[in-house]
Amino acid sequence: MRKILIVIDMQKDFVDGALGTKEAVAIVPNVVEKIKRYDIKDVFATRDTHQPNYMETQEGKNLPVVHCVEGTEGWEINKAVAAVLDGATIFDKPTFGSAALCDAILKLSKEEELEIEMVGLCTDICVVSNALMLKAFMPEVKISVDSSCCAGVTVEKHEAALETMRSCQINVI
């Protein structure tokens, strides 16, 4: 069985930038150590990727904080995480969930048996969105989320997202 790791949006703006939190900063060492446990060919990552017109988008109207604009420092993956992601497959995504990531993982699941582990930011937005998308496309694939390698917008929202994932048969560790 091939075990893969998906690292969601470990970008400067979510760690210690425009939308950063102390909880996000605190998980960086855990995420780095988690990535080191995997062969880099089995590591996939996402980058939240917005354009300069972000504030005009549906998301921008609902979350009016400019963040992760492609090419900016805030869009870049946290330096410590980026140092261990070298060689990983990275998907830029314009919204919470990544259809391209799901397509790639679904294709792999048809070639060999998979087990998926997920980490990253923010638990209650992009982590839960991608976890539920993957589960919907691959209901028989074991998917887990390492809660010590995730942080939410708030501690309460982090916990609520973990509970939502548990309810949808995603293993929370």
Side-chain angles (χ1 to χ4, degrees):
M1 175 178 309
R2 182 174 176 188
K3 295 184 179 184
I4 63 171
L5 178 67
I6 298 175
V7 181
I8 303 292
D9 297 356
M10 288 297 299
Q11 294 161 270
K12 179 171 180 44
D13 272 346
F14 292 128
V15 175
D16 59 2
L19 294 169
T21 64
K22 68 181 189 297
E23 293 82 13
V25 171
I27 70 163
V28 169
N30 296 347
V31 172
V32 168
E33 288 307 310
K34 180 71 70 174
I35 294 167
K36 288 180 180 179
R37 293 185 204 146
Y38 283 81
D39 186 317
I40 202 64
K41 73 175 176 47
D42 297 325
V43 178
F44 299 81
T46 63
R47 270 189 304 227
D48 197 42
T49 302
H50 299 297
Q51 301 308 312
N53 71 335
Y54 170 77
M55 294 299 282
E56 298 164 26
T57 67
Q58 171 102 8
E59 182 181 331
K61 291 173 183 169
N62 287 288
L63 177 62
V65 178
V66 176
H67 65 282
C68 298
V69 174
E70 188 171 13
T72 66
E73 183 181 6
W75 174 75
E76 293 174 8
I77 294 174
N78 168 274
K79 290 184 187 328
V81 174
V84 293
L85 274 181
D86 188 38
T89 302
I90 299 175
F91 295 89
D92 291 337
K93 59 181 188 59
T95 188
F96 309 131
S98 173
L101 170 70
C102 284
D103 288 345
I105 303 302
L106 180 60
K107 182 179 177 189
L108 287 178
S109 76
K110 291 178 179 180
E111 297 167 2
E112 60 190 311
E113 191 174 354
L114 297 180
E115 186 173 308
I116 300 168
E117 184 172 16
M118 300 180 71
V119 300
L121 301 168
C122 294
T123 318
D124 51 310
I125 302 174
C126 294
V127 174
V128 70
S129 294
N130 284 283
L132 293 174
M133 286 175 68
L134 289 162
K135 193 65 172 174
F137 281 102
M138 297 170 288
E140 295 303 317
V141 172
K142 181 181 178 187
I143 300 174
S144 62
V145 173
D146 185 338
S147 62
S148 72
C149 295
C150 294
V153 173
T154 66
V155 172
E156 296 78 17
K157 287 184 176 189
H158 167 76
E159 291 299 329
L162 294 175
E163 190 55 37
T164 295
M165 289 185 275
R166 281 186 196 99
S167 296
C168 294
Q169 301 176 1
I170 294 165
N171 187 35
V172 176
I173 53 176

